[in-house]
Amino acid sequence: MSETYDYIIVGGGSAACVAAYRLTREKNARVLIVERGPAKAPGLSAYLLPMPAAWMKSMNGSSTVEMHVPVPQKHLNGRAPAVGQAAILGGGSCINGMVYTRGQHEDYDHWDEFLGGNSGWAFKDMLPHFRGMECNHSFHNQWHGVDGRLHVSDTGAKCQLTEDYVLAAQGLGVPFNPDFNGASQNGVGTMQYTTHRGRRCNAVEAFVQPALETGRLTIKTNCLVSRIIVENGSCKGVVFGENGQEVAARCGAEVLMAAGTYHTPKILMLSGIGPASHLDEHGIRTLLDLPGVGENLQDHHEVPVVAGTNGHFGYFGEEKGLKALRNGLQYLLFRSGPVASVGVEACAYVDPDGGKRPTIKMYCIPTVYVDGDVKEVAPQDGVTLNACLLRPRSRGTVRLRSKDPLTQPVVDNNYLAEPDDLRLEIAGLRFAREILKSNPLSKRVTRELLPGPDVTDDAGLATHCRRTVKTNWHPVGTCRMGSDGDANAVLDTKLRVRGIQNLRVIDASAMPFIPSGNTNAPTMALAHRAMDFIN
C-alpha cells in the first residue's frame, strides 16, 4: 500500500471518531482508521441499537461486543466476572447505556497536580473541549454548549420508581441536582444521555459522517492491527490483516493509538514496546522497555441491593409479548414510552462517609438486575440500587496471552484488592438500604431480596460484595501519561509515547486516574484535547 495518509488511527471507537473529525475538517489531513470490528451492527441489531431501551440486550451476547473473561480474581474467591469492550466502528458510543457524564472538576485538577501542574489537563483546560463537542438540549451556560456535534438530552421517559427514588433520596438529605455536569456533581436526579429526539447519537453520526464528507478519511473495518511499524525510533505505520492477507499502511505524520484500554497496550507489546521481561516470556524482541505498558488498569465496579415491589412500577416485562408490541408502536409513532428510556434514569452521587465530594454513584434500576452468574434472585417486578465506586484504589493489569495477535489479552482487574474499596462498597450498600426505607420508595418495597435482610454485619456484606460485584464497563489507564521522571509513565503530558517519535495514545488507556463518572464523554474530550497538541 502506498503512503497516502498523514495520520493512521488504530481503532475506530469514540476517541478515533473525534480525532478523525478534527484532523480532516480542521487540519485538512488525510486519515486512515483501522477498526477490528464491523462498520455497523449486523442484522436486527443495526435497527435496535439506536433505540435507547435496546442497549442492554445488545450488549449481552452481541457480536459487536468482545467479552473478556479475566483471570480468577484473588479477592473475589476466584470468581471472574466478565468484562467487555466494543468491537464496532464508533466503539462504546454505539453500544453503551448512553449516559453523558464528565466526572468531577476535582478529577481533572488531580490529573494536573499529578502531572506536575500547568499540564493542560486541569478542569479549566478540559471544559472547552466538553462544551465544544456538545449540543445540549436542556442547558446553555458556562458549563454546556449547544453548537457541537454530540447531541445530549434528558431521559426520554421516566417511570414511577425513578420518581420515587429521587424523592426518597432527598428525604435523606441528598440535595436535588438538575445537572450532574454543572457546578457540582453532588446530589440526586435524572441523568442526561447522548440521544437526539429519542434516538442514540453515536460518534459515527456525530463525527465520522462529516469527516467522510471531506474526502480525506478512509476507513478499514474488520481489519485487526497486529503491530506498528517503527524505524530508527520513529513510528511509520501499521500492519493489519485484511481479507486474510497481511497489509502494511504507512503515514507521513503520526500513528494515533485508539484501540481501547485492553487492546492499545496489547498492540504496543506485540510491537516490542512494553515491559522487557514480559516480552521476553513471549519471544518478542524489545524495541523499547516501557514497564508501565499494561499496568494501572482501573475500572468502576458496583454491587447491588435488590428489593421486590408490591406492583408494576418499573420496566420488568416491558420487552415481552403484547407489552413489547404496544411499547414499540408508541416509540415508532411518538418517540416516547419505555423504549425511549435506557431503563436507568436516575442516580445519586453521594459520599456515605458524609463528605461533600461523592465517592459512590448510586444507580436506580427499576427492575431486578444482577450479573449473569448471580442466580440467587429471579427476574420480577422490583428495584435494584447499584452502588458504583467512583474512584477505586485497586489497580490491575493487561498482559499478552501469546504473541499471536488473534488471541485476547490477559485481563486482571484485581477488584477489591485495596481494603478501602471494599469498605466503601459496604458503606454504599448500607446507604442503599436507607434509601429503600425512605418515603415514598418505601411504600413500593415489599422485601429485600439480595443480599437479604438477615445480612447485616460487615462480614456478610463483604461476602455479598465478592459474590456480586460487576464491571460498570469503564476500563482506563493501561498506558497512562505522567510527568518527566515518572518511570511508569508510558506517555508524556501531550500523550506521546516516551522514546518513540510520531506515536501517540488518544484513548482512555492514557488516563492516569479514572474519572468519577461514565467514561465515554471523558474519552471523547481527551481525544478532542489531544488534537490541540498536533500541529
Side-chain angles (χ1 to χ4, degrees):
M1 186 180 294
S2 61
E3 183 177 300
T4 57
Y5 309 107
D6 299 309
Y7 296 90
I8 297 175
I9 305 176
V10 178
S14 298
C17 296
V18 171
Y21 175 85
R22 293 201 67 191
L23 289 171
T24 57
R25 295 186 67 93
E26 298 176 15
K27 302 179 186 295
N28 297 318
R30 298 162 299 173
V31 178
L32 170 66
I33 289 178
V34 186
E35 163 58 38
R36 63 196 170 96
K40 62 179 182 179
L44 185 60
S45 293
Y47 298 95
L48 290 176
L49 279 172
M51 302 178 184
W55 73 273
M56 194 174 296
K57 179 173 288 188
S58 298
M59 285 184 77
N60 294 323
S62 169
S63 61
T64 58
V65 180
E66 180 188 41
M67 298 305 296
H68 297 258
V69 178
V71 300
Q73 296 292 282
K74 177 180 178 182
H75 304 281
L76 305 186
N77 299 321
R79 183 168 165 259
V83 293
Q85 182 173 344
I88 185 175
L89 184 67
S93 72
C94 291
I95 59 132
N96 65 6
M98 291 157 277
V99 175
Y100 180 85
T101 58
R102 301 170 177 174
Q104 300 166 5
H105 301 191
E106 297 95 327
D107 295 332
Y108 304 100
D109 291 341
H110 182 213
W111 288 14
D112 181 59
E113 180 183 4
F114 175 76
L115 296 171
N118 298 316
S119 66
W121 291 102
F123 181 73
K124 65 179 177 60
D125 302 308
M126 292 293 286
L127 181 59
H129 299 279
F130 284 114
R131 293 187 76 249
M133 289 188 296
E134 183 183 26
C135 178
N136 200 295
H137 291 252
S138 296
F139 303 111
H140 185 198
N141 51 37
Q142 69 187 97
W143 311 114
H144 294 283
V146 296
D147 296 321
R149 297 281 315 174
L150 185 69
H151 289 276
V152 178
S153 305
D154 295 334
T155 179
K158 190 163 58 174
C159 70
Q160 183 65 57
L161 284 175
T162 293
E163 295 180 357
D164 292 342
Y165 172 80
V166 172
L167 293 171
Q170 290 180 72
L172 294 175
V174 180
F176 177 72
N177 190 344
D179 180 14
F180 295 126
N181 299 303
S184 172
Q185 189 189 64
N186 186 53
V188 64
T190 54
M191 295 174 281
Q192 286 203 302
Y193 305 86
T194 49
T195 54
H196 181 215
R197 302 188 188 282
R199 286 176 59 86
R200 177 190 296 271
C201 177
N202 62 41
V204 176
E205 296 173 357
F207 302 109
V208 167
Q209 290 178 359
L212 286 170
E213 293 170 2
T214 67
R216 292 185 288 272
L217 175 62
T218 301
I219 302 173
K220 298 279 188 180
T221 54
N222 295 308
C223 293
L224 181 71
V225 172
S226 58
R227 66 184 185 277
I228 60 175
I229 300 170
V230 178
E231 297 172 354
N232 300 318
S234 179
C235 190
K236 298 297 185 181
V238 302
V239 176
F240 59 90
E242 183 178 26
N243 298 322
Q245 302 294 318
E246 190 174 78
V247 178
R250 300 177 73 88
C251 59
E254 293 187 17
V255 169
L256 306 176
M257 298 298 300
T261 296
Y262 301 140
H263 285 282
T264 286
K266 171 189 167 182
I267 295 169
L268 290 180
M269 288 187 283
L270 288 173
S271 306
I273 302 169
S277 59
H278 179 60
L279 300 182
D280 288 344
E281 293 173 5
H282 295 285
I284 298 172
R285 183 172 66 90
T286 300
L287 293 179
L288 180 64
D289 183 10
L290 276 183
V293 174
E295 296 286 331
N296 194 50
L297 174 61
Q298 302 160 58
D299 188 13
H300 291 138
H301 49 76
E302 58 191 24
V303 292
V305 172
V306 184
T309 55
N310 53 23
H312 181 65
F313 309 111
Y315 291 126
F316 172 68
E318 292 291 333
E319 79 285 8
K320 298 177 181 178
L322 293 177
K323 288 183 179 179
L325 293 175
R326 179 198 65 194
N327 295 334
L329 183 62
Q330 180 179 356
Y331 176 80
L332 292 173
L333 291 175
F334 307 110
R335 290 289 189 269
S336 64
V339 180
S341 168
V342 305
V344 186
E345 299 151 354
C347 73
Y349 285 98
V350 297
D351 178 13
D353 291 339
K356 291 186 178 181
R357 186 182 180 192
T359 56
I360 292 288
K361 179 178 184 179
M362 189 75 69
Y363 290 99
C364 174
I365 305 171
T367 188
V368 169
Y369 175 71
V370 292
D371 214 9
D373 67 338
V374 178
K375 308 298 184 182
E376 288 86 346
V377 291
Q380 59 187 283
D381 277 311
V383 59
T384 303
L385 303 188
N386 268 346
C388 177
L389 186 59
L390 292 175
R391 293 181 299 282
R393 295 186 179 183
S394 302
R395 298 291 184 267
T397 58
V398 171
R399 291 286 183 259
L400 292 177
R401 192 175 303 273
S402 78
K403 62 180 179 181
D404 180 358
L406 295 177
T407 61
Q408 289 185 336
V410 177
V411 176
D412 182 0
N413 300 95
N414 203 24
Y415 288 141
L416 302 183
E418 292 291 331
D420 200 56
D421 290 354
L422 181 59
R423 183 191 67 81
L424 281 169
E425 288 283 27
I426 291 172
L429 292 176
R430 293 190 184 281
F431 191 77
R433 284 174 159 173
E434 292 303 311
I435 296 178
L436 291 176
K437 295 176 183 177
S438 179
N439 187 38
L441 192 56
S442 60
K443 296 178 181 178
R444 314 287 184 190
V445 171
T446 55
R447 66 194 184 284
E448 183 179 301
L449 304 174
L450 196 70
D454 295 334
V455 181
T456 58
D457 62 358
D458 283 356
L461 292 174
T463 297
H464 170 71
C465 288
R466 296 186 182 100
R467 177 70 188 91
T468 62
V469 67
K470 62 178 288 292
T471 179
N472 208 210
W473 302 75
H474 299 155
V476 309
T478 51
C479 294
R480 70 164 176 83
M481 57 177 149
S483 58
D484 293 341
D486 183 344
N488 286 317
V490 178
L491 315 174
D492 66 12
T493 57
K494 293 187 177 180
L495 306 180
R496 296 172 294 201
V497 175
R498 294 180 180 276
I500 301 287
Q501 295 181 351
N502 302 323
L503 179 60
R504 206 179 298 255
V505 175
I506 62 167
D507 61 24
S509 66
M511 297 177 180
F513 302 98
I514 195 167
S516 303
N518 305 61
T519 51
N520 192 52
T523 300
M524 288 190 282
L526 181 145
H528 200 276
R529 178 79 179 101
M531 295 306 99
D532 282 358
F533 301 141
I534 292 177
N535 296 326

